[in-house]
Each structure stands twice: as C-alpha cells, then as structure tokens.
C-alpha cells in the first residue's frame, strides 16, 4: 500500500526539515495532540503506521532520507497497556530504553531541564516474532510526557477561554534507513534525474556520511600549477643561436693565434 506524496507547499529550495527532538515534541507532536495547525509549509501525514511496510513509507527515489508521520498507538491486548508492534510483513522491535526529551526553561539560578516527552528507537524485523530477520529500517517514536501533557488555555475567537488537554494516544514517528547500509546507499543513488547535480550530491553525502576534503592540499597544488605555468620557457631556437655564436668566436680566436 503506497503513501502518496504530500500536496501541501514544500519548504523553499535549499531548506531541509531537520528539527531537534525538543522541536518535534513541542512544536509538532503537542500541536497535533491539541488539534492545532502545524507550522506553515510542513506536512506530516496522519496514518496507521502498522498498516504499511517501511518500503511504502519511504520508497526508492524519495527526495529525503527520512520521513515523519503521526499515528495513534494501538494496544496489543484489549485490556492491556502493551503497544502493538506487528505489521502485515513483520514487526517493530524496541531497542534499549526510552530516552527523555527535555527543554530548558528559565529558573532563579540560570535554567533547568523540564521533561516534555520520551523517545524510543525501534528496528523493523521481517517475519513473525521472535524469529524474524532484522532489516536496516529504523524508527524513532516520540510521545508526550511530563510538562508536554499539561493543558493549554486557548481563546477561540470571541468566546471565553477554553482549556484543552493533549490527547495521549498520538505519537510522532521518524522512519529512515540505517546510514551506511547497502539499501540506504542504493536509495541515495536513485535520485530523480530532474533534480540538480548540487542537490543530488547533498542527498548522497547525507546518506553515505560527510566526506573530508583537504582544502590546504588542494590550494598548494593549485599554486604549484600556477608557478609552472608562469615560469619562462627557453625555445630551441635561442639555444641554437647561442651555440652558433660561441662556435664563431672560437674560430675567430684560432685564426688570430695562427
């Protein structure tokens, strides 16, 4: 099942959507949980992520190396709190522990970190648990926690101010392929032909890792080439004339001595 490309206006040329964990939680996930509009020119679709294969979420040739989605967590059992991670072709397996997402707020003595959300990393396995085969698909799942779940007071129009509480069921998912894998490199190579060379190089470098360029060595090589080009070149005719002149002088000296 394919996920269609967003139809909303895209970011201006040269800009990339690279939010921090704090920005994802406070400016996107919290807004979605409060049913508030997202920042302009940013489209994060609502999907049921368990109904899709990762290759549908980020198909080959996609303009970016990652993609973001909103989804509602599903319980594995009707009366349980354990999240369902199974899809049609496999399952998402959590790796490690959840990591806190905190923001710095002013305090009497500088600033203090306030918890606003939690971040969990998951890896996609094909097949049935627990004997599935590990893939290079990774997902970061963000949920609201702590102060991120605090109610928000809003004044819609001329009506009295209303208090809205974020819905806890919403999560924000960042799906991507692990950097350095063969699949990620192949996806970077499948850049559409109508994109500029400079933009294609930037995407390829993001997928394969930044490359080191020794600008000092390059500058020294350029300077050496310029010195060689500007050095005087003595023609063969000059050498011939000089040898002929020296031979004439030797003959003149011999005749005088005789």
């Amino acid at each position: 099942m394919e996920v269609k490309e967003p139809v909303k206006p895209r970011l201006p040329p040269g800009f990339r959507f690279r939010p921090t964990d704090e920005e994802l939680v406070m400016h996107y996930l919290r807004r979605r949980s409060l049913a508030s509009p997202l920042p302009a020119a940013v489209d994060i679709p609502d999907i049921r992520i368990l109904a899709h294969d990762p290759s549908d979420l980020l198909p080959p040739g996609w303009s970016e190396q990652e993609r973001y989605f909103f989804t509602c967590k599903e319980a594995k059992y009707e009366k349980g709190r354990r999240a369902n991670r199974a899809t049609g072709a496999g399952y998402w397996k959590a790796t490690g522990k959840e990591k806190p997402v905190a923001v710095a707020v002013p305090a009497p003595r500088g600033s203090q970190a306030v918890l606003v959300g939690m971040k969990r990393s998951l890896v996609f396995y094909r097949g049935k648990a627990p004997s599935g085969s590990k893939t290079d698909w990774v997902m970061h799942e963000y949920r609201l926690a702590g102060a991120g779940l605090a109610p928000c007071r809003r004044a819609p129009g001329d009506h009295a101010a209303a208090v809205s509480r974020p819905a806890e069921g919403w999560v924000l998912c960042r799906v991507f392929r692990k950097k350095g894998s063969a699949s990620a490199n192949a996806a970077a190579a499948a850049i559409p032909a109508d994109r500029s060379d400079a933009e294609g190089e930037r995407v390829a470098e993001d997928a394969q890792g930044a490359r080191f360029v020794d600008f000092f060595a390059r500058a020294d090589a350029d300077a050496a080439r310029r010195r060689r080009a500007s050095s005087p070149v003595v023609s063969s005719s000059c050498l011939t004339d000089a040898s002929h002149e020296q031979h004439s002088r030797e003959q003149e000296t011999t005749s005088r001595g005789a």
Side-chain angles (χ1 to χ4, degrees):
M1 185 174 181
E2 268 188 46
V3 179
K4 293 184 179 180
E5 187 174 353
V7 296
K8 290 187 178 181
R10 297 183 179 181
L11 295 173
F15 286 83
R16 295 292 179 270
F17 187 59
R18 296 291 187 269
T20 63
D21 292 345
E22 297 80 4
E23 291 169 340
L24 284 174
V25 170
M26 293 303 295
H27 295 282
Y28 296 95
L29 178 56
R30 182 171 164 83
R31 283 173 180 260
R32 182 64 188 87
S33 300
L34 290 168
S36 299
L38 299 182
V42 174
D43 181 76
I44 302 178
D46 296 345
I47 67 169
R48 182 177 177 266
I49 204 163
L50 297 180
H52 299 277
D53 189 89
S55 58
D56 296 333
L57 300 176
L58 199 67
W62 187 258
S63 58
E64 297 290 340
Q65 300 302 310
E66 59 188 13
R67 199 173 178 190
Y68 297 83
F69 304 94
F70 289 122
T71 190
C72 287
K73 293 182 69 173
E74 302 178 20
K76 187 172 184 179
Y77 305 105
E78 184 177 355
K79 296 184 179 181
R81 300 186 62 182
R82 189 176 179 182
N84 181 26
R85 303 293 187 187
T87 69
Y91 58 95
W92 290 97
K93 182 179 179 180
T95 60
K97 297 181 179 180
E98 279 189 306
K99 296 180 180 180
V101 178
V103 296
V105 298
R109 296 181 179 179
S111 62
Q112 63 178 7
V114 176
L115 179 70
V116 293
M118 299 295 291
K119 173 183 176 182
R120 182 184 292 278
S121 296
L122 304 100
V123 176
F124 187 72
Y125 285 73
R126 293 200 179 277
K128 293 185 178 181
S131 57
S133 57
K134 186 178 180 180
T135 70
D136 55 2
W137 287 103
V138 180
M139 179 169 68
H140 290 166
E141 183 185 84
Y142 299 85
R143 67 178 180 87
L144 295 174
L149 291 170
C152 177
R153 185 176 297 276
R154 297 185 296 179
D158 297 331
H159 301 285
V163 176
S164 299
R165 185 176 295 277
E168 296 188 39
W170 285 103
V171 294
L172 192 156
C173 300
R174 171 179 174 245
V175 180
F176 60 98
R177 267 194 167 111
K178 188 176 180 181
K179 289 186 178 181
S181 63
S183 301
N185 295 338
I191 300 171
D194 58 347
R195 300 180 64 190
S196 64
D197 294 338
E199 187 176 356
E201 289 176 1
R202 285 196 298 269
V203 174
E205 288 179 1
D206 288 343
Q208 299 176 1
R211 294 175 295 176
F212 175 75
V213 179
D214 192 344
F215 292 100
F216 295 101
R218 179 181 295 177
D220 292 341
D222 293 341
R225 283 195 294 269
R226 287 195 296 269
R227 286 195 299 270
R228 287 195 298 269
S230 61
S231 59
V233 178
V234 182
S235 64
S236 59
S237 60
C238 295
L239 293 175
T240 304
D241 294 342
S243 60
H244 178 71
E245 183 179 356
Q246 184 179 2
H247 180 67
S248 301
R249 290 178 179 176
E250 289 177 353
Q251 286 183 344
E252 184 179 355
T253 303
T254 305
S255 60
R256 287 179 181 176

